[in-house]
Amino acid sequence: MGVGAIMGYSSPAGILLTSNSTNSTLYLTSSQNSWFSSISNLGAMVGCPLAGICINYFGRRGTIMYAVVPVSIGWILIAAGQNFAMLLVGRFITGLYCSLVSLAIPTYVAEFASPHIRGTL
């Protein structure tokens, strides 16, 4: 759910941020909206090697639990975003979270699932 919320957030938020329909002073151009939408993928790309290191250091379960820290920081930056840079940093950090859980959760499930249902999961 977390990864889906991160990946899907940019679509409705981008419409609101580019239309200037809110009372906010934050307004994105179409070029900035493109960056806002895609920077989480860059964060996920950078986070993939980090995810492997975290799995070896913290373990699968520990990586999943500690991944709450970057996603919380990222969403706080996005929610409190006063400028374009804060939005970008928040989206980048949430992209790091995506790579952490995208590697740790399938590995964790595959290790602890019963052999007869492992392929189904």
Side-chain angles (χ1 to χ4, degrees), residues 3-42:
V3 173
I6 291 165
M7 293 299 156
Y9 174 74
S10 62
S11 179
I15 293 171
L16 288 174
L17 291 169
T18 56
S19 68
N20 202 16
S21 62
T22 62
N23 293 333
S24 175
T25 58
L26 184 59
Y27 174 75
L28 299 183
T29 64
S30 62
S31 175
Q32 288 174 330
N33 186 42
S34 296
W35 275 100
F36 176 74
S37 298
S38 60
I39 193 97
S40 62
N41 295 325
L42 271 166

Side-chain angles (χ1 to χ4, degrees), residues 6-111:
I6 291 165
M7 293 299 156
Y9 174 74
S10 62
S11 179
I15 293 171
L16 288 174
L17 291 169
T18 56
S19 68
N20 202 16
S21 62
T22 62
N23 293 333
S24 175
T25 58
L26 184 59
Y27 174 75
L28 299 183
T29 64
S30 62
S31 175
Q32 288 174 330
N33 186 42
S34 296
W35 275 100
F36 176 74
S37 298
S38 60
I39 193 97
S40 62
N41 295 325
L42 271 166
M45 182 184 74
V46 169
C48 285
L50 178 67
I53 293 167
C54 287
I55 282 180
N56 286 331
Y57 187 75
F58 298 119
R60 284 86 174 131
R61 185 172 170 224
T63 301
I64 295 166
M65 291 185 340
Y66 291 132
V68 171
V69 174
V71 77
S72 298
I73 292 169
W75 279 117
I76 288 169
L77 283 172
I78 292 169
Q82 298 295 316
N83 55 33
F84 178 59
M86 284 180 75
L87 292 177
L88 283 185
V89 171
R91 290 283 291 168
F92 185 84
I93 293 172
T94 56
L96 288 173
Y97 163 82
C98 290
S99 66
L100 289 173
V101 297
S102 293
L103 183 63
I105 290 175
T107 308
Y108 182 76
V109 169
E111 287 178 352

